[in-house]
Amino acid sequence: MLSDSMCEALNRQVNAEMYSAYLYQSMAAWALNQGLKGLANWMDCQAREEMVHAFKIYRYVDERNGRVRLTAIDGPPIDWDSPVALAKDVAAHEAKVTALINGLVDLAIEERDHATRSFLNWFVDEQVEEESGAGEFVQKLELASESPGGLFMVDREFGQRVFSPPPAEGE
Ligand SMILES: [Fe+2]
Ligand SMILES: [Fe+2]
């Protein structure tokens, strides 16, 4: 059974992951409007992954006999000055999410909630990938913006990303 404080903290993280999805979908919409279909595809995949993260926590809260309570999701920004500015926002956002995950781990340790601490390890590892992926994303767009045709090339590459849904759990 989860403590009330841990349950609340995990519920806040469900909201934060859904906000991440909302932010990245907003970036996808901006990219589509700019004619950058590949970048839009990359952000679509990113948004869908965030919903997978949210659902992972949602299921865990229920599994531990906690109650999931969904709350209002903030409206994301809708405009960016350039693809590089957008990518830098992705990187900054992922750094923020890492801090949130670390905060949850701190709480699990404080409460000696070993199950939650173990559950959160997946997210700790995931954030290492997310931050490194975001860093590469910024770098590619910065390089692309320096050469004519660069953005076209990198957009085509971003168009190749495929979202792979996680295997069904508990089956
Ligand atoms: Fe996430
Ligand atoms: Fe993420």
Side-chain angles (χ1 to χ4, degrees):
M1 181 89 182
L2 289 171
S3 71
D4 287 349
S5 51
M6 185 53 85
C7 189
E8 243 183 78
L10 289 169
N11 266 294
R12 276 199 300 275
Q13 193 62 30
V14 171
N15 183 287
E17 298 291 343
M18 287 191 179
Y19 174 76
S20 300
Y22 216 36
L23 171 64
Y24 294 157
Q25 202 62 58
S26 184
M27 289 174 166
W30 178 85
L32 263 190
N33 188 250
Q34 301 287 312
L36 297 166
K37 284 191 181 160
L39 179 59
N41 171 67
W42 201 93
M43 295 314 311
D44 277 341
C45 293
Q46 195 69 18
R48 294 174 79 180
E49 279 188 5
E50 297 302 346
M51 288 306 286
V52 171
H53 298 170
F55 195 58
K56 221 178 166 72
I57 304 166
Y58 174 108
R59 285 182 72 140
Y60 176 75
V61 168
D62 177 66
E63 221 181 336
R64 296 285 312 279
N65 293 320
R67 169 136 185 233
V68 176
R69 288 185 177 86
L70 298 182
T71 51
I73 299 166
D74 289 342
I78 51 174
D79 278 311
W80 287 270
D81 289 339
S82 65
V84 171
L86 177 150
K88 284 184 176 169
D89 275 5
V90 172
H93 184 68
E94 288 299 334
K96 245 186 246 173
V97 173
T98 299
L100 293 178
I101 298 292
N102 288 342
L104 287 173
V105 173
D106 289 345
L107 183 64
I109 290 169
E110 201 183 297
E111 295 195 359
R112 296 168 177 258
D113 181 347
H114 300 294
T116 300
R117 191 186 168 181
S118 159
F119 166 75
L120 288 170
N121 278 338
W122 185 90
F123 284 87
V124 171
D125 295 343
E126 174 68 13
Q127 282 313 116
V128 173
E129 275 182 41
E130 289 277 71
E131 288 203 58
S132 117
E136 265 177 49
F137 184 57
V138 172
Q139 205 175 29
K140 273 183 192 163
L141 280 162
E142 274 176 344
L143 286 171
S145 68
E146 284 166 16
S147 66
L151 190 56
F152 176 77
M153 296 285 288
V154 91
D155 192 61
R156 212 162 51 179
E157 185 194 323
F158 290 151
Q160 315 276 303
R161 181 170 173 183
V162 179
F163 167 75
S164 40
E169 286 171 57
E171 278 160 29

